[in-house]
Amino acid sequence: MLAELRRSTMHKRAMDPRDYDESSDLEDNADLLQSNMEQDTENPPWKLSFPHVLVATIVPFLFGYHLGVVNEPLETISVDLGFHGNTLQEGLVVSTCLAGAFVGSLISGWVADGVGRRRAFQLCALPMLIGAPICATATSLTGMLLGRVFVGIGLGVGPPVASLYVAEISPAHVRGTYGSFIQIATCLGLMAALVIGIPVTSIFGWWRICFWISTLPASMLALLMVFCVESPHWLYKQGRHSEAENELEKLLGASHAKDAIVELSKTDRGDEADTIKLSELLCGRHSRVVFIGSTLFALQQLSGINAVFYFSSTVFRRAGVSSNLANVSVGMANLVGSVIALALMDKLGRKALLLWSFFGMAVSTVLQVLAAASPASNPVGFLMSVGGMMLFVLMFAVGAGPVPGLLLPEIFPNRIRAKAMAFCMSVHWVINFLVGLLFLRLLDRMGPQLLYSMFGSFCLVAVVFVKRNVLETKGKSLQEIEIALLAHD
């Protein structure tokens, strides 16, 4: 292959000058690929970027915590605030946060591109530091919903920025592993919320403490980001090339920083400063990757996973299972699956994990449908119900959970990356909102058999979609991925 590249270069020199411009981009891309092949055996050290990735994972930790913080205390909150037994209002406590997150996600791309990734992290912490105390001191449903909206805005801005930041500062050979940290942090946030919520039935007003506790990691995020690097991709996009190279030296080491700058220059086509309009994302040259990204997030939510996280206590209680046992089981299944994803992301690749994950989730919904058809006193049906839910969470955490947030920053070109992520996350939050709002009501009206059959069908649709549309990005630099996608345009 290298010999072919050299022959291509010699042929270019013999060309007529007017043909030179047409082939220059192809040769530059070939040079980039050759350079990366020669460096495969000499990867940058992962330890330099690791601390910055850890700070960024505070955002998904907060994401998981705030999604789970109302799971166990929801019944107590409804009693204290006077809406006990109203499933629609109970759903609003969950879904109002998601509505705020939708608003936050709409502006996240413009915030990340306008002020940089580091300041975007700090800005996303601000509404969470405002909203959590409002929830903790609420004396009515209105106060609780107001606080949840503020928290949601922060959650809408933060996760897209975290995915961008981790993808942009990670060496290619460990980017999948680092991306899995986002899912593990989300899982740890959920588990922290569930464990902290255990005393809620025995200690009056404990649910208020649960909200106060969330201000600690939000404060840490705002403070620690002062000491983290800015994204070199964002700096380069702003024309601050020397600063970008300095940050790359901190992340990759001096010997790799210059090569990384050369790679960035290969995909700089001089239009970075152009304003990205929504019409360009939907109908322009990059509309296909935006469609793939938004559909992946939609199918992730239509699988029903967040219905499990939000209402696992309620569902298990109806099946006669202790809610504390249910929460611990769900959290452990999520953690085990996340660790499996961490080990396999850079070995099997993103696409394989997505396929097996969605297929396994579909199988688990079959178990839950069979369990719902069994008599309530049947121990086999009970085991299938609990086992099916545990398998569902486990398989989600292996692929459908961590992969979309990692894959999309990889496949989006630098010019549209932040705003395309914002659009795709807004789709995510719309579906998330509807599932959170309607799940309990649909469970009451449709019954578990029909509802879980619907979730399983969406999982199978996801398998077909991933097989036909998703590009494998394992081990490739962001610039190589962009060049490969441009070749398909």
Side-chain angles (χ1 to χ4, degrees):
M1 180 178 178
L2 295 179
E4 292 176 359
L5 290 173
R6 292 190 185 99
R7 283 197 298 271
S8 175
T9 303
M10 293 176 65
H11 174 66
K12 175 185 166 185
R13 290 171 185 156
M15 280 185 191
D16 189 278
R18 61 193 169 188
D19 296 328
Y20 183 86
D21 290 338
E22 297 176 3
S23 63
S24 60
D25 288 342
L26 291 175
E27 182 179 337
D28 287 343
N29 294 347
D31 290 342
L32 172 59
L33 294 175
Q34 178 176 340
S35 173
N36 280 303
M37 289 171 63
E38 292 171 349
Q39 292 174 25
D40 279 347
T41 57
E42 193 180 330
N43 290 318
W46 59 269
K47 294 180 181 179
L48 296 176
S49 54
F50 183 68
H52 308 280
V53 171
L54 281 186
V55 174
T57 58
I58 296 176
V59 168
F61 177 87
L62 283 163
F63 176 78
Y65 187 91
H66 279 292
L67 291 186
V69 72
V70 297
N71 190 325
E72 181 62 29
L74 183 58
E75 186 172 352
T76 305
I77 293 172
S78 65
V79 172
D80 287 356
L81 300 186
F83 56 93
H84 181 60
N86 188 321
T87 56
L88 181 60
Q89 290 182 336
E90 289 177 357
L92 277 174
V93 173
V94 173
S95 296
T96 305
C97 180
L98 307 182
F102 169 70
V103 174
S105 68
L106 288 177
I107 63 173
S108 65
W110 281 261
V111 171
D113 275 347
V115 301
R117 310 325 189 208
R118 283 198 312 169
R119 289 184 181 175
F121 277 117
Q122 294 171 320
L123 287 175
C124 86
L126 181 61
M128 287 189 269
L129 289 170
I130 295 172
I134 293 176
C135 292
T137 56
T139 57
S140 66
L141 175 63
T142 303
M144 174 60 68
L145 297 183
L146 177 63
R148 294 289 281 170
V149 167
F150 272 104
V151 168
I153 291 172
L155 294 182
V157 174
V161 177
S163 295
L164 285 172
Y165 186 74
V166 171
E168 290 177 344
I169 70 171
S170 301
H173 69 290
V174 292
R175 193 171 58 243
T177 302
Y178 281 174
S180 299
F181 287 172
I182 292 177
Q183 176 65 16
I184 290 179
T186 304
C187 171
L188 292 176
L190 279 165
M191 292 185 69
L194 297 176
V195 171
I196 291 171
I198 288 176
V200 74
T201 55
S202 56
I203 301 177
F204 178 76
W206 182 256
W207 62 268
R208 298 181 186 276
I209 303 298
C210 296
F211 284 107
W212 279 116
I213 289 173
S214 69
T215 61
L216 296 177
S219 301
M220 288 176 59
L221 173 66
L223 176 63
L224 292 177
M225 263 299 150
V226 174
F227 305 100
C228 290
V229 299
E230 181 54 88
S231 164
H233 289 255
W234 181 77
L235 289 170
Y236 194 91
K237 183 179 177 181
Q238 303 301 309
R240 296 156 63 177
H241 298 174
S242 61
E243 292 178 62
E245 186 170 351
N246 289 336
E247 299 294 58
L248 282 168
E249 287 182 5
K250 297 176 185 178
L251 293 168
L252 307 177
S255 60
H256 293 273
K258 293 189 182 298
D259 293 324
I261 282 289
V262 171
E263 286 192 22
L264 279 173
S265 69
K266 298 295 184 181
T267 52
D268 179 17
R269 300 198 307 276
D271 54 3
E272 301 296 329
D274 292 354
T275 301
I276 305 299
K277 298 179 180 178
L278 181 61
S279 58
E280 183 175 352
L281 296 180
L282 299 179
C283 308
R285 63 182 303 185
H286 303 299
S287 59
R288 175 171 171 76
V289 288
V290 174
F291 168 74
I292 291 171
S294 55
T295 303
L296 270 181
F297 269 131
L299 290 170
Q300 180 197 64
Q301 295 306 306
L302 289 172
S303 71
I305 184 60
N306 277 322
V308 174
F309 288 143
Y310 299 150
F311 302 110
S312 60
S313 297
T314 304
V315 172
F316 272 104
R317 216 179 287 125
R318 292 182 180 183
V321 181
S322 163
S323 60
N324 288 341
L325 177 61
N327 291 338
V328 171
S329 300
V330 168
M332 288 304 298
N334 196 8
L335 181 60
V336 170
S338 300
V339 172
I340 293 173
L342 176 70
L344 298 180
M345 189 72 73
D346 283 316
K347 294 180 180 178
L348 293 184
R350 288 55 154 161
K351 187 171 184 177
L353 288 183
L354 274 178
L355 289 171
W356 284 107
S357 174
F358 278 119
F359 181 75
M361 291 165 70
V363 171
S364 71
T365 59
V366 174
L367 293 178
Q368 294 178 70
V369 169
L370 293 175
S374 303
S377 59
N378 187 345
V380 176
F382 168 77
L383 290 175
M384 283 195 298
S385 176
V386 175
M389 186 166 285
M390 294 301 99
L391 179 63
F392 187 83
V393 174
L394 175 72
M395 295 308 298
F396 171 83
V398 167
V403 171
L406 168 66
L407 181 69
L408 301 197
E410 291 181 323
I411 66 175
F412 292 148
N414 191 35
R415 178 171 176 261
I416 68 164
R417 188 173 292 136
K419 295 180 177 66
M421 276 296 295
F423 175 80
C424 293
M425 284 300 294
S426 67
V427 173
H428 165 278
W429 286 115
V430 168
I431 306 298
N432 201 334
F433 172 82
L434 294 175
V435 171
L437 180 65
L438 300 176
F439 175 73
L440 286 180
R441 181 158 292 197
L442 289 175
L443 186 62
D444 287 336
R445 295 191 177 185
M446 298 173 61
Q449 285 179 276
L450 185 56
L451 185 58
Y452 286 119
S453 296
M454 184 175 69
F455 287 152
S457 299
F458 280 120
C459 291
L460 292 177
V461 170
V463 171
V464 176
F465 180 83
V466 170
K467 183 71 176 176
R468 292 183 176 180
N469 295 283
V470 171
L471 171 75
E472 183 54 68
T473 59
K474 177 186 69 173
K476 300 176 182 177
S477 71
L478 297 181
Q479 289 69 44
E480 286 181 282
I481 296 167
E482 183 170 345
I483 289 169
L485 288 170
L486 286 173
H488 292 288
D489 285 348

